[in-house]
């Protein structure tokens, strides 16, 4: 057993897989995954801050922090603008990923669905882009011709499903179709193309968690009872994944292939959503000229507010974590916070945010991060603060206009779960007969992969082998 036998590396990416389910509650029902885990170095893998799909997958692949990548989430605020945003995409990633390093040794890679990989970029191998791809009408592969091969195989390829909608039967049906197609493509590529490194990411697991968590988790505040029709959707989806992984493993030579299972973050029940801009207005930090709009009894979007920027100190974005921005003089068009007072004002706002209590007065474990304090550098359009409301148990609602800032459900449509700090890691090496528990961080992934290819680079993490 050992690294010396490894000729290929195969990475199974399961977006948002939590250790509590994959290594715990559901493992006995997943024979193929169980077989691997019991022969792996495995354990919880601490995600990045923020624990968000983009940038987490790219942090994993590059060994660089979100600050070094300049990626703090899916949306980013354009510098000097209040409402203009840009969406993260593959061309924004300037750092080398593991597949770039191993290409220097002539090694070929196949990537399927690794975020963010749209638009598709050239690699030494083959690439199918990820869930941010608009639809199958665009070019989504490298090389371009690969798209034709995929469509001959499975028809229209599916990148993602709309999961925040009431028709859960439709969500379920589309999830199963998407995942089956993805694995069919994966098995085709394994057999038909040359590769040394293969990584895919299945986004469906994240979607099934968000769409069906309240039907599955008996402790969820909206749990409808044991006889609900969707009680087993999440366990059944894990079984689907296990079945597809089992079929896939049969195509791999386990005497020369290292197999990893990883997730970008974990998942947990969402206790509710907190209308953070409504709270900022109540606290006098966000001033608006049309307060009557909040009395109309409807959900109000931020861009419907007539913000009095000349008197506004801070505003925020919703999301699994909240981004809070200060209105800084000389940086924002109508900034009011003097640059020399920036640190003091930011500390004051952060302290105030940490005092937010739950709807029943309960104490929250809210965390506030300053980008430049947690990353060696913080490039690009960073927020002034990144906020985990009650340690991610509460989502931040970007909308407002409610009787209370505490919402029982997500403001953007059905969504019962939020991200958790720990994802999963397991590494099977040829010949391993026993499992070995470990604990690591997302930064350890890239050094470990490179070690399997006999390489070392000055990255943030460490190899676990």
């Amino acid at each position: 057993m050992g690294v010396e036998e490894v000729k290929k590396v195969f990475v199974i990416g399961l977006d948002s897989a939590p250790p509590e389910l994959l290594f715990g509650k559901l493992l006995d029902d997943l024979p193929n995954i169980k077989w691997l885990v019991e022969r792996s170095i495995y354990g919880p893998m601490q995600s990045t801050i923020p624990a968000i799909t983009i940038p987490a997958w790219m942090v994993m692949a590059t060994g660089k922090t979100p600050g070094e990548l300049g990626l703090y989430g899916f949306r980013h605020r354009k510098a000097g603008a209040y409402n203009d945003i840009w969406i993260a995409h593959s061309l924004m990633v300037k750092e080398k990923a593991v597949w770039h390093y191993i290409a220097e040794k002539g090694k070929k890679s196949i990537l399927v669905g690794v975020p963010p990989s749209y638009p598709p970029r050239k690699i030494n191998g083959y690439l199918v882009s990820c869930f941010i791809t608009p639809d199958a009408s665009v070019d989504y592969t490298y090389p371009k011709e690969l798209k034709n091969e995929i469509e001959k195989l499975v028809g229209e390829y599916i990148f993602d499903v709309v999961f925040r909608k009431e028709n859960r039967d439709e969500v379920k049906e589309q999830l199963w179709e998407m995942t089956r197609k993805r694995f069919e493509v994966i098995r085709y590529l394994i057999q038909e193309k040359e590769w040394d490194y293969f990584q895919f990411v299945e986004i469906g697991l994240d979607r099934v968690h968000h769409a069906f968590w309240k039907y599955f988790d008996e402790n969820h505040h909206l749990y409808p009872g044991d006889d609900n029709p969707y009680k087993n959707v999440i366990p059944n989806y894990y079984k689907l994944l296990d079945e597809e992984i089992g079929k896939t493993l049969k195509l791999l030579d386990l005497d020369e292939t290292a197999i990893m299972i990883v997730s970008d973050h974990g998942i947990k029940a969402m206790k509710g959503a907190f209308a953070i801009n409504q709270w900022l207005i109540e606290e006098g930090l966000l001033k608006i000229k049309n307060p009557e709009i909040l009395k109309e009894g409807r959900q109000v979007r931020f861009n419907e507010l007539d913000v009095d920027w000349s008197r506004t100190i801070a505003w925020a974005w919703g999301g699994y974590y909240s981004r809070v921005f200060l209105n800084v003089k000389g940086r924002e068009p109508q900034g009011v916070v003097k640059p020399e007072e920036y640190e003091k004002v930011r500390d004051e706002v952060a302290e105030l945010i940490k005092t937010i209590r739950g709807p029943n007065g309960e104490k929250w474990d809210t965390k506030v991060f300053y980008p430049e304090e947690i990353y060696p550098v913080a490039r690009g359009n960073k927020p002034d603060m990144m906020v985990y409301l009650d340690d991610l148990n509460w989502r931040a609602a970007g909308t407002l206009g409610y009787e209370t800032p505490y919402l029982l459900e997500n403001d953007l449509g059905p969504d019962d779960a939020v991200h958790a700090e720990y994802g999963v890691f397991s590494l099977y090496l040829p010949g391993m007969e026993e499992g070995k528990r470990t604990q690591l961080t997302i930064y350890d992934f890239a050094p470990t992969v490179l070690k399997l290819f006999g390489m070392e680079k000055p990255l943030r993490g460490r190899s676990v082998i």
Side-chain angles (χ1 to χ4, degrees):
M1 183 274 285
V3 180
E4 55 277 8
E5 278 83 21
V6 175
K7 294 193 172 60
K8 293 184 170 198
V9 177
F10 188 81
V11 182
I12 298 167
L14 303 177
D15 197 289
S16 96
E20 303 82 22
L21 295 189
L22 199 76
F23 298 152
K25 186 173 178 176
L26 300 181
L27 188 64
D28 283 342
D29 296 326
L30 310 172
N32 297 296
I33 292 174
K34 187 177 182 184
W35 188 93
L36 275 178
V37 170
E38 287 182 340
R39 290 160 182 78
S40 288
I41 301 165
Y42 74 101
M45 181 164 78
Q46 188 174 23
S47 184
T48 182
I49 300 170
I52 300 290
T53 297
I54 296 172
W57 284 108
M58 218 28 72
V59 166
M60 205 189 298
T62 62
K64 301 291 182 181
T65 65
E68 288 163 299
L69 294 169
L71 289 177
Y72 305 94
F74 188 53
R75 297 168 295 154
H76 294 77
R77 185 168 72 98
K78 285 187 182 170
Y82 288 119
N83 281 320
D84 273 0
I85 63 164
W86 58 269
I87 300 291
H89 55 78
S90 66
L91 304 181
M92 301 305 297
V93 180
K94 310 294 184 195
E95 301 286 343
K96 280 185 178 179
V98 290
W99 46 88
H100 297 122
Y101 288 119
I102 64 172
E104 291 167 6
K105 291 180 73 173
K107 303 289 184 189
K108 290 184 184 296
S109 297
I110 296 179
L111 306 176
V112 179
V114 181
S117 52
Y118 180 81
R121 294 172 67 184
K122 181 180 178 181
I123 62 166
N124 187 29
Y126 299 85
L127 181 148
V128 181
S129 63
C130 70
F131 77 101
I132 62 170
T133 309
D135 57 50
S137 69
V138 301
D139 287 332
Y140 60 82
T141 61
Y142 177 83
K144 274 187 184 183
E145 302 74 46
L146 179 60
K147 177 179 172 178
N148 293 332
E149 291 179 59
I150 289 173
E151 290 176 359
K152 271 185 198 163
L153 187 71
V154 297
E156 188 175 321
Y157 186 71
I158 305 173
F159 300 92
D160 197 2
V161 299
V162 177
F163 64 96
R164 286 189 186 128
K165 62 180 179 187
E166 295 298 340
N167 190 337
R168 304 296 169 104
D169 290 328
E170 202 172 282
V171 176
K172 180 174 172 253
E173 191 181 319
Q174 289 173 349
L175 275 167
W176 258 249
E177 185 187 358
M178 173 178 75
T179 299
R180 286 194 169 119
K181 282 188 175 184
R182 179 124 50 238
F183 273 91
E184 204 172 333
V185 168
I186 289 162
R187 287 193 286 271
Y188 169 81
L189 294 171
I190 287 172
Q191 295 174 93
E192 298 297 325
K193 309 294 180 191
E194 194 185 335
W195 59 275
D196 304 286
Y197 179 79
F198 196 124
Q199 181 179 356
F200 75 88
V201 173
E202 178 49 74
I203 194 73
L205 188 62
D206 181 78
R207 298 336 191 193
V208 83
H209 285 153
H210 284 298
F212 293 96
W213 195 267
K214 76 176 178 194
Y215 302 103
F216 163 74
D217 181 355
E218 293 159 16
N219 296 315
H220 196 285
H221 68 289
L222 299 174
Y223 183 62
D226 288 344
D227 56 350
N228 81 75
Y230 304 116
K231 168 87 177 161
N232 291 316
V233 172
I234 287 178
N236 288 341
Y237 184 81
Y238 274 83
K239 287 177 190 169
L240 170 72
L241 285 177
D242 186 73
E243 187 186 312
E244 296 290 345
I245 288 169
K247 285 188 213 167
T248 307
L249 290 178
K250 286 184 180 153
L251 303 177
L252 303 174
D253 182 348
L254 299 184
D255 290 332
E256 62 171 41
T257 309
I259 298 171
M260 303 171 92
I261 303 176
V262 285
S263 63
D264 52 339
H265 53 75
I267 200 87
K268 60 183 172 184
M270 185 176 81
K271 291 184 178 174
F274 183 73
I276 191 155
N277 279 316
Q278 188 162 324
W279 176 83
L280 285 169
I281 289 172
E282 288 169 5
E283 294 296 323
L285 294 167
L286 170 57
K287 300 282 189 184
I288 58 171
K289 296 175 185 171
N290 56 342
E292 64 283 358
I293 197 171
L294 302 180
K295 307 291 181 197
E296 292 175 1
R298 65 179 180 90
Q299 189 182 76
V300 175
R301 294 192 303 277
F302 185 79
N303 61 13
E304 291 179 78
L305 300 177
D306 185 3
V307 177
D308 183 352
W309 292 109
S310 69
R311 297 195 300 139
T312 287
I313 306 259
W315 78 104
W317 280 6
Y320 295 117
Y321 82 106
S322 182
R323 282 177 261 194
V324 178
F325 304 99
L326 296 189
N327 191 24
V328 181
K329 197 170 186 178
R331 192 184 74 177
E332 272 72 40
Q334 299 172 62
V336 295
V337 176
K338 291 177 186 165
E340 62 271 25
E341 292 178 358
Y342 174 82
E343 297 292 343
K344 177 174 155 287
V345 172
R346 182 166 66 163
D347 288 347
E348 286 170 0
V349 175
E351 286 309 312
L352 202 56
I353 288 171
K354 287 184 206 167
T355 66
I356 298 172
R357 287 181 172 259
N360 301 310
E362 68 273 24
K363 199 168 183 324
W364 273 5
D365 180 19
T366 293
K367 292 171 178 159
V368 179
F369 305 100
Y370 299 164
E372 74 279 9
E373 284 190 0
I374 58 170
Y375 311 132
V377 291
R379 297 195 174 102
N381 304 128
K382 58 184 181 293
D384 294 298
M385 283 172 255
M386 301 188 287
V387 178
Y388 285 8
L389 289 169
D390 193 23
D391 195 22
L392 292 172
N393 284 304
W394 283 71
R395 189 182 203 282
T399 54
L400 56 174
Y402 307 99
E403 282 185 16
T404 157
Y406 303 96
L407 315 178
L408 282 176
E409 299 198 58
N410 182 24
D411 59 329
L412 298 178
D415 187 347
D416 318 324
V418 283
H419 294 179
E421 191 183 1
Y422 283 89
V424 300
F425 173 92
S426 86
L427 167 62
Y428 160 86
L429 293 170
M432 272 189 86
E433 295 292 338
E434 288 181 1
K436 181 183 160 194
R437 290 283 299 196
T438 188
Q439 185 157 336
L440 68 165
T441 80
I442 199 164
Y443 296 101
D444 301 333
F445 174 86
T448 302
V449 169
L450 293 180
K451 182 81 178 285
L452 291 168
F453 286 101
M455 301 178 82
E456 280 188 38
K457 296 289 173 185
L459 300 175
R460 190 179 177 85
R462 63 181 175 88
S463 168
V464 301
I465 46 172

